[in-house]
Amino acid sequence: MAADSTNIAGEPLKDLCEGLDPSPTNVRSEEPKKELDSKMEESAKIGSYMKSLLEKYEKIRGSSPKEVGVPFWDLVVISAGDESQETWYKAQLELKKESGDLPNVPYLCVADPPGPRIGSGGSTLYILTKLREEYGVDMDTWKILIIHAGGYSKRLPSHSCSGKIFSPLPIHTGKGGPYQMLDLKLAMYLPFIEIMVPGVFITCSDDIEVFNIDNLKTEGKKGQSITALAHPSSLYIGTTHGVYVMKDLSLNHESLQDITTCLEVLQK
């Protein structure tokens, strides 16, 4: 019976990782239900926190973040797969600027060099090289956002022309036009701007992270150079994605989010 109870207690978290609905009606003991209720409460706080980020972002759409008093990126860079995609991205950015949908900071599109595909890693190095050539040591004091958007959206052909970074989203807050993935990206990462030192924040164009870092200890350790965002998932999902091997492999059952040390990065 003890073994059965242990397995049942782990089922809600197991269901969460496998993408199933961990309904309290499926929980057979009182203790797991309390844990689940606590996680649902924390989930609601995460939802409220993300909503507050959208509200903060609305204040700087079409305005200068410095004048409004909201910390923002010194430079936003969007990668493109080739020159034709870069031309399209630049046109999209101009339309968004004209309609007052973007905060007033510099935006830059950089196409990958001609030839074989170099991937996000190669694109990152190429972009940093181009920035160093153009801005020199000035960029060492900046906070720069790099969004990798050079894919051709083969699994979503409807977005192959515009790119997923300019995909429309069912979000409309009243100010400016409807949101695109770019708008959501710029809103989601607002809290990280305040806690990071000058440097580079790298993301792709088609993922959505939800979190609440109000009560997390986010001060970096001395010498620490990289902080990454990740989420727990099933082994099946891990086989098709990059995986972080954590120092403590045991999941924290008391919280939906945590900060821990990564030992190794496994590429898909």
Side-chain angles (χ1 to χ4, degrees), residues 195 197 217-227 259 261:
I195 60 178
V197 297
K217 295 179 180 179
T218 53
E219 293 183 4
K221 298 177 182 178
K222 244 185 176 180
Q224 183 176 339
S225 58
I226 297 176
T227 299
I259 298 178
T261 302

Side-chain angles (χ1 to χ4, degrees), residues 3-224:
D4 290 341
S5 298
T6 302
N7 290 336
I8 292 171
E11 282 179 3
L13 188 59
K14 175 175 177 288
D15 288 345
L16 279 172
C17 292
E18 292 182 354
L20 303 177
D21 178 19
S23 173
T25 58
N26 295 327
V27 181
R28 303 177 191 174
S29 66
E30 189 63 25
E31 188 60 32
K33 184 179 184 304
K34 290 181 179 179
E35 291 179 6
L36 184 59
D37 288 344
S38 174
K39 287 185 173 63
M40 294 302 290
E41 182 180 348
E42 186 175 358
S43 179
K45 291 179 180 178
I46 291 175
S48 298
Y49 183 79
M50 299 308 295
K51 182 181 178 182
S52 72
L53 296 184
L54 295 180
E55 293 171 348
K56 181 183 289 188
Y57 180 67
E58 281 300 299
K59 296 178 182 178
I60 59 176
R61 290 184 87 186
S63 305
S64 168
K66 288 185 179 180
E67 293 179 1
V68 178
V70 176
F72 199 66
W73 307 105
D74 297 294
L75 176 66
V76 177
V77 183
I78 301 176
S79 73
D82 52 40
E83 291 184 358
S84 61
Q85 194 176 57
E86 177 189 23
T87 301
W88 177 269
Y89 285 180
K90 287 180 177 179
Q92 291 292 306
L93 285 173
E94 286 305 313
L95 288 174
K96 291 182 72 65
K97 289 178 184 177
E98 291 173 6
S99 60
D101 289 345
L102 292 175
N104 294 335
V105 298
Y107 296 85
L108 184 66
C109 290
V110 179
D112 290 346
R117 302 282 287 175
I118 59 176
S120 297
S123 180
T124 297
L125 296 177
Y126 183 71
I127 289 172
L128 292 177
T129 301
K130 298 283 285 186
L131 294 182
R132 179 64 72 185
E133 292 174 353
E134 183 165 349
Y135 300 109
V137 296
D138 289 346
M139 62 178 285
D140 294 339
T141 61
W142 295 351
K143 296 180 182 180
I144 302 171
L145 175 65
I146 296 179
I147 305 176
H148 286 297
Y152 296 122
S153 191
K154 295 179 180 178
R155 288 171 292 185
L156 286 172
S158 57
H159 300 302
S160 59
C161 292
S162 63
K164 285 180 280 189
I165 190 61
F166 293 106
S167 300
L169 298 174
I171 301 174
H172 194 286
T173 55
K175 181 180 179 182
Y179 272 44
Q180 295 173 323
M181 273 301 296
L182 175 59
D183 301 289
L184 188 58
K185 285 283 178 180
L186 297 178
M188 279 193 306
Y189 301 138
L190 283 175
F192 295 103
I193 304 171
E194 299 183 50
I195 60 178
M196 69 180 282
V197 297
V200 179
F201 191 105
I202 303 172
T203 181
C204 63
S205 62
D206 59 356
D207 63 330
I208 299 175
E209 297 89 15
V210 292
F211 48 83
N212 177 4
I213 62 173
D214 263 349
N215 299 319
L216 286 180
K217 295 179 180 179
T218 53
E219 293 183 4
K221 298 177 182 178
K222 244 185 176 180
Q224 183 176 339

